[in-house]
């Protein structure tokens, strides 16, 4: 696969990269050496004349998103379109807002458009028109981006986040929407390099292996049930300092009904434990998407201090204020 792919020439030549580099210089922080190395690998691929197929792997908080944004900008300044596809609507909206703010703050005149499944028919139609007429330069959204109605004008780069949520077939659907766009895949799932090469054998791999300068190391500890009270006290202390917590209830039995009950019972118990000053809420697989989104957004606004959830949350949202899991 890899040998075949390396001979595929790309119709999209991303030669001009001035705007992209200007934004890089203007950022209020300096990228880490690992980020800069990864960015150069991506920009090198885009310039190479061959179709890019690259996986960026890096821990949560290592700064993959800014590299995605800079790559999208490089594609746009060469007259093409770029798309960023993420697994959840909440995350899509977050990315959309932060990219729009970043561009506004630094005078980047590129049009960013959001496309998600829950938009009204009218909102979707307007977004589709902007995409088809190339009024939109960067399109951010959920898998709604690959549905038939979206027609791109010169789609040169597709970025998927946490791509194991998107099958190979979905990646190919994107390919069929353009003439073989460049593909960039981002993942925070720590896959050992050797395994990554087997699973994503047709992809080149970049690893962001350092965290930004002022990050403190994350403390992990395993304790037995006798330690619960101490853990609850620790959570109360964090919340008193204005922070938030996640509690994940993994299920041993794979049954959504039991999973729902498990989470609901646990949050009820926890609410009693935490008292009336702290809001506890929960998420599980049986809930409708709109209800999940609403709870995630309330958690994002700190209207919920403790969120009890099953693993449905794993690729959901960016809540920098949540310091404990």
């Amino acid at each position: 696969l890899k040998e075949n792919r390396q001979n595929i020439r790309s119709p999209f030549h991303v030669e001009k990269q001035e705007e992209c580099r200007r934004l890089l210089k203007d950022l209020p922080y300096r990228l880490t050496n690992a980020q800069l190395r990864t960015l150069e690998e991506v920009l090198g691929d885009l310039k190479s004349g061959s179709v890019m197929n690259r996986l960026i792997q890096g821990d949560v908080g290592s700064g993959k998103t800014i590299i995605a944004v800079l790559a999208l900008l490089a594609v746009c300044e060469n007259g093409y379109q770029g798309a960023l596809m993420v697994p959840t609507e909440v995350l899509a909206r977050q990315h959309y807002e932060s990219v729009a703010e970043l561009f506004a703050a630094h005078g980047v005149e590129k049009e960013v458009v959001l496309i998600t499944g829950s938009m009204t028919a009218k909102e979707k139609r307007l977004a589709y028109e902007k995409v088809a007429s190339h009024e939109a330069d960067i399109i951010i959204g959920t898998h709604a981006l690959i549905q038939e109605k979206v027609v791109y004008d010169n789609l040169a780069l597709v970025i998927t986040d946490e791509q194991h949520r998107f099958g190979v077939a979905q990646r190919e659907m994107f390919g069929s929407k353009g003439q073989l766009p460049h593909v960039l895949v981002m993942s925070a799932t720590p896959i050992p390099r050797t395994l990554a090469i087997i699973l994503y054998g047709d992809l080149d791999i970049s690893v962001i292996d350092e965290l930004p300068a002022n990050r403190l190391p994350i403390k992990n500890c395993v304790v037995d049930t006798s330690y619960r009270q101490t853990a609850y006290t620790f959570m109360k202390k964090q919340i008193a300092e204005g922070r938030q917590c996640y509690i994940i209830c993994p299920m041993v039995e794979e049954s959504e009904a039991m999973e729902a009950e498990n989470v609901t019972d646990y949050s009820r118990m926890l609410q009693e434990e935490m008292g009336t000053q702290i809001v506890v809420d929960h998420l599980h697989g049986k809930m409708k998407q709109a209800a999940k989104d609403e709870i995630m957004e309330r958690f994002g606004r700190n209207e919920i201090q403790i969120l009890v959830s099953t693993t449905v949350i794993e690729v959901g949202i960016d809540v920098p204020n949540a310091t404990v899991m």
Side-chain angles (χ1 to χ4, degrees), residues 98-117:
S98 58
V99 172
E101 277 168 30
L102 180 74
F103 283 2
H106 295 283
V108 176
E109 291 176 8
K110 293 285 178 265
E111 177 85 13
V112 187
V113 165
L114 176 71
I115 295 181
T116 62

Side-chain angles (χ1 to χ4, degrees), residues 190-202:
I191 312 166
R193 195 176 174 96
T194 42
L195 184 59
I197 290 168
I198 298 165
L199 290 177
Y200 301 116
D202 58 328

Side-chain angles (χ1 to χ4, degrees), residues 88-103:
T88 65
E89 297 210 349
V90 181
L91 198 57
R93 199 165 312 116
Q94 276 191 316
H95 280 331
Y96 165 72
E97 283 163 6
S98 58
V99 172
E101 277 168 30
L102 180 74
F103 283 2

Side-chain angles (χ1 to χ4, degrees), residues 116-154:
T116 62
S118 69
M119 284 161 62
T120 64
K122 186 184 173 193
E123 287 171 327
K124 281 184 190 160
R125 199 181 64 245
L126 286 171
Y128 295 161
E129 282 167 10
K130 282 186 172 179
V131 175
S133 67
H134 204 137
E135 193 185 323
D137 300 294
I138 293 176
I139 303 93
I140 296 177
T142 53
H143 59 267
L145 291 187
I146 49 178
Q147 279 147 1
E148 290 73 65
K149 287 193 177 126
V150 191
V151 179
Y152 295 89
D153 175 63
N154 246 347

Side-chain angles (χ1 to χ4, degrees), residues 249 256-271 280-284 286-287 308-310:
C249 297
E256 283 201 332
M258 278 183 63
E259 181 177 272
E261 184 186 5
N262 190 22
V263 168
T264 323
D265 291 350
Y266 190 79
S267 16
R268 204 174 299 127
M269 182 279 295
L270 201 63
Q271 184 69 75
V280 180
D281 214 327
H282 62 273
L283 265 186
H284 54 74
K286 283 190 90 171
M287 293 164 76
V308 181
S309 170
T310 55

Side-chain angles (χ1 to χ4, degrees), residues 43-248:
L43 293 176
D45 282 357
L46 290 174
K47 220 173 182 167
S48 70
S50 296
V51 173
M52 166 168 78
N53 260 331
R54 185 171 288 278
L55 165 69
I56 298 182
Q57 209 186 330
D59 214 345
V60 171
S62 61
K64 299 183 289 293
T65 311
I66 188 64
I67 290 171
V69 174
L70 289 163
L72 288 165
L73 180 56
V75 165
C76 294
E77 68 176 291
N78 285 272
Y80 308 125
Q81 286 178 321
L84 170 63
M85 183 159 77
V86 298
T88 65
E89 297 210 349
V90 181
L91 198 57
R93 199 165 312 116
Q94 276 191 316
H95 280 331
Y96 165 72
E97 283 163 6
S98 58
V99 172
E101 277 168 30
L102 180 74
F103 283 2
H106 295 283
V108 176
E109 291 176 8
K110 293 285 178 265
E111 177 85 13
V112 187
V113 165
L114 176 71
I115 295 181
T116 62
S118 69
M119 284 161 62
T120 64
K122 186 184 173 193
E123 287 171 327
K124 281 184 190 160
R125 199 181 64 245
L126 286 171
Y128 295 161
E129 282 167 10
K130 282 186 172 179
V131 175
S133 67
H134 204 137
E135 193 185 323
D137 300 294
I138 293 176
I139 303 93
I140 296 177
T142 53
H143 59 267
L145 291 187
I146 49 178
Q147 279 147 1
E148 290 73 65
K149 287 193 177 126
V150 191
V151 179
Y152 295 89
D153 175 63
N154 246 347
L155 180 64
L157 170 65
V158 172
I159 302 180
T160 58
D161 192 6
E162 284 305 337
Q163 92 86 29
H164 48 268
R165 290 287 163 139
F166 302 114
V168 176
Q170 285 169 308
R171 292 218 307 264
E172 281 172 358
M173 268 175 77
F174 243 139
S176 66
K177 285 199 171 286
Q179 326 150 272
L180 276 185
H182 295 289
V183 175
L184 186 61
V185 167
M186 303 193 295
S187 179
T189 309
I191 312 166
R193 195 176 174 96
T194 42
L195 184 59
I197 290 168
I198 298 165
L199 290 177
Y200 301 116
D202 58 328
L203 301 179
D204 297 307
I205 298 173
S206 298
V207 182
I208 305 182
D209 47 12
E210 57 183 304
L211 286 174
N214 48 7
R215 295 287 163 103
L216 295 169
I218 292 168
K219 293 193 175 119
N220 293 301
C221 43
V222 177
V223 293
D224 65 17
T225 43
S226 65
Y227 213 85
R228 289 226 165 149
Q229 270 334 104
T230 321
Y232 293 151
T233 310
F234 175 66
M235 286 161 65
K236 284 177 184 162
K237 204 173 121 222
Q238 287 286 313
I239 291 167
E241 289 172 14
R243 301 297 184 187
Q244 289 160 275
C245 313
Y246 291 102
I247 292 189
I248 308 299

